[in-house]
Amino acid sequence: LFASISNAWLSGQWDIHQMSHPLPTTLITLALALKVGLAPLHTWMPEVLQGLDLTTGLILSTWQKLAPFCLLLQVQPTNATVLLVLGITSTLVGGWGGLNQTQLRKILAYSSIAHLGWMILVLQFSPSLTFLTLLVYFIMTFSLFISFKISNATNINTLATSWAKAPALTSIIPLILLSLGGLPPLTGFLPKWLILQELTKQGLALLATVAALSALL
């Protein structure tokens, strides 16, 4: 709200496509980053997701990302560095944050932060690629949340004992998790591969390397 008002004040325009002044564009980018939960504005996300039940958590992880992303796609930032910094910080924080967690919802929150980082990195170079990554992320997250809901699992220990109740489902869950981690033969690797390719084309090889290394975590 503050960004749009300051934009109207500085440029006399209320239209999102007319945002040319660096202050309101940076402000609105940061505001939307806070809304989707990009690092370093991510601190609310793991705690909130941990406190929600799985269905609401699923809505927060998927549906809630659509509106801010539509706005981010329309705002053409004057300062490209802001998005790149947000993106690379998110991939690193998402990778590190999920390391010593036993709560599944917190792991999923950090996974969400890392995936959003990948999307933001490539947003200004190839919006269609961002959309593809978002779609693949939605499918994987949806199937994972539904699997957890069926097996009634909220932490790793519950997941370990669910083998007796639903063997078929328990054997699918690791595959979805590996796909979410971006392992080559699985779907989750496809957008990451394309993003790395796009980043190297844009001459950001170092950034691509850091992003790829953070995905290993």
Side-chain angles (χ1 to χ4, degrees):
L1 210 60
F2 181 57
S4 57
I5 290 169
S6 57
N7 181 55
W9 182 29
L10 290 164
S11 66
Q13 290 284 350
W14 285 98
D15 198 332
I16 197 163
H17 299 293
Q18 305 290 332
M19 293 185 83
S20 52
H21 199 283
L23 178 71
T25 39
T26 309
L27 272 176
I28 204 159
T29 309
L30 290 173
L32 291 166
L34 174 69
K35 206 165 168 55
V36 287
L38 283 167
L41 309 160
H42 68 288
T43 38
W44 63 273
M45 179 103 176
E47 299 302 324
V48 169
L49 200 58
Q50 181 55 36
L52 298 171
D53 66 280
L54 289 167
T55 316
T56 322
L58 171 64
I59 294 167
L60 177 72
S61 302
T62 56
W63 193 247
Q64 288 263 279
K65 305 266 187 270
L66 284 174
F69 255 98
C70 289
L71 292 173
L72 272 172
L73 282 165
Q74 288 174 71
V75 176
Q76 290 305 316
T78 41
N79 188 0
T81 328
V82 177
L83 282 184
L84 291 176
V85 168
L86 283 169
I88 204 70
T89 320
S90 298
T91 53
L92 290 167
V93 166
W96 276 113
L99 281 180
N100 46 6
Q101 295 291 343
T102 54
Q103 295 293 335
L104 293 173
R105 283 167 295 188
K106 271 196 175 169
I107 295 174
L108 284 169
Y110 283 113
S111 148
S112 167
I113 294 163
H115 276 86
L116 290 168
W118 282 87
M119 292 172 215
I120 292 294
L121 274 179
V122 80
L123 184 74
Q124 55 204 336
F125 309 121
S126 172
S128 52
L129 197 46
T130 296
F131 185 66
L132 171 77
T133 317
L134 191 65
L135 205 62
V136 171
Y137 167 72
F138 275 11
I139 295 164
M140 293 188 297
T141 308
F142 185 80
S143 44
L144 204 54
F145 266 102
I146 296 296
S147 309
F148 289 160
K149 195 167 169 59
I150 293 168
S151 57
N152 204 11
T154 51
N155 61 16
I156 289 175
N157 298 342
T158 324
L159 211 54
T161 54
S162 66
W163 179 256
K165 288 185 287 181
L169 190 66
T170 316
S171 53
I172 290 169
I173 289 174
L175 277 174
I176 307 171
L177 280 166
L178 289 172
S179 180
L180 204 60
L183 219 67
L186 302 160
T187 325
F189 176 62
L190 171 79
K192 288 188 175 174
W193 183 27
L194 293 171
I195 288 171
L196 289 174
Q197 209 174 357
E198 184 62 40
L199 288 174
T200 30
K201 267 187 207 162
Q202 298 293 338
L204 298 164
L206 181 67
L207 210 62
T209 312
V210 175
L213 289 173
S214 74
L216 294 174
L217 295 167

